[in-house]
Amino acid sequence: TSDHWVVTQPEDALDGDRRQRYEAGQIIISDRDGQERGRIDLEYRHVDDKEVATQKGLEDSSIQTTPMVRSNGNFTVALLSNGTVWAWGANEYGQLGNGVAGNEPNAGMSYASQPMQVLAAYEKTDVRFGDYMQNIVRIAVGKEHAMALGRDGSVYAWGRNNYSQVGLEDVAYQAVPVQIKAGQQTLTEEYENNTYLTDIVDIAAGGATSVAVDEKGYVYTWGSNANGVLGISRTGEELE
């Protein structure tokens, strides 16, 4: 659960009055039977600096996004206020996004007990392998995969890919985030010519399903289609 609001500077405020931001939420800890075992309260507060407070409509550059924590399966992903993403817990299928997976022979990492920073999608022209993900505004997690929404409206995914929930075909898992393309995701020349999803404003993840919504209200779904969850008027385990 969460609640948040922004207290803006009044029209008649004196120079130096500051705008305040507040975010609160809870992490509920449950056992395997679904019984609640405890709760962790989270609070985040910020006050704009004097320069920002006196310039109506100007956002404080020190706050890039609202922090959030998402957990599913046996791993957790956290988004910091500076737009970076961190993950810890199980990593059998690369769901920590650190470049390795627990099922890789001789070099695997089955879990991490401390947060590890998620790598950037290095297929982008301005990113090198080893760089870290930045400018993220929202995260979502499925049972064994994770998603991130960039400030520019781009979408990224990583982790288990048994139903193409990471947006790739014929790949069992993806230990480094990939940017999601629109259209049928087959490893062919047609796939190479597909364009990336753009202007996305929200994301969500189910067990093995991924969802994105763009600024015009169009919905994109991919991954497992068990029980018709993709909303494409037919059922089956397939990617759209």
Side-chain angles (χ1 to χ4, degrees):
T1 59
S2 65
D3 190 16
H4 58 89
W5 60 87
V6 175
V7 180
T8 59
Q9 181 187 20
E11 293 292 338
D12 59 350
L14 300 175
D15 289 349
D17 284 358
R18 300 183 178 188
R19 181 166 50 187
Q20 300 181 16
R21 307 165 194 259
Y22 173 80
E23 173 86 13
Q26 285 187 329
I27 298 177
I28 301 176
I29 303 173
S30 302
D31 59 23
R32 293 183 177 180
D33 297 324
Q35 298 296 316
E36 182 178 326
R37 296 300 182 184
R39 298 191 178 202
I40 300 175
D41 293 321
L42 300 175
E43 286 193 2
Y44 174 79
R45 298 176 184 270
H46 175 75
V47 179
D48 287 346
D49 62 30
K50 181 177 179 179
E51 180 180 358
V52 170
T54 56
Q55 298 184 47
K56 183 177 179 181
L58 179 61
E59 294 294 335
D60 188 344
S61 61
S62 69
I63 297 300
Q64 296 189 22
T65 188
T66 299
M68 61 182 65
V69 178
R70 299 289 183 264
S71 184
N72 202 338
N74 295 316
F75 76 109
T76 300
V77 181
L79 172 61
L80 275 60
S81 63
N82 62 3
T84 62
V85 181
W86 301 72
W88 62 97
N91 191 46
E92 295 92 335
Y93 303 102
Q95 55 264 55
L96 300 188
N98 61 1
V100 296
N103 54 13
E104 292 180 349
N106 304 321
M109 176 184 291
S110 60
Y111 71 94
S113 58
Q114 296 181 350
M116 303 190 68
Q117 192 166 358
V118 175
L119 294 174
Y122 61 86
E123 72 269 18
K124 298 187 68 173
T125 57
D126 58 343
V127 174
R128 298 174 299 174
F129 182 77
D131 289 347
Y132 294 112
M133 183 172 282
Q134 300 180 37
N135 298 316
I136 301 302
V137 297
R138 184 171 294 276
I139 54 175
V141 298
K143 183 178 180 181
E144 293 163 325
H145 78 289
M147 302 174 64
L149 173 61
R151 180 171 297 281
D152 60 357
S154 55
V155 180
Y156 307 90
W158 63 95
R160 193 171 189 181
N161 193 54
N162 55 330
Y163 294 114
S164 299
Q165 59 267 45
V166 173
L168 298 173
E169 194 171 52
D170 302 325
V171 176
Y173 65 91
Q174 180 65 32
V176 177
V178 293
Q179 188 173 354
I180 302 298
K181 288 186 173 183
Q184 190 70 23
Q185 308 296 292
T186 55
L187 298 180
T188 63
E189 182 177 351
E190 180 182 359
Y191 169 76
E192 294 297 328
N193 293 329
N194 285 350
T195 59
Y196 291 108
L197 284 180
T198 59
D199 301 323
I200 302 301
V201 296
D202 202 3
I203 56 174
T209 303
S210 301
V211 183
V213 182
D214 70 15
E215 63 183 8
K216 295 182 179 179
Y218 290 106
V219 179
Y220 303 85
T221 61
W222 61 97
S224 172
N225 194 36
N227 302 313
V229 69
L230 296 184
I232 56 175
S233 301
R234 62 184 186 272
T235 59
E237 310 295 344
E238 56 190 289
L239 168 71
E240 286 295 320

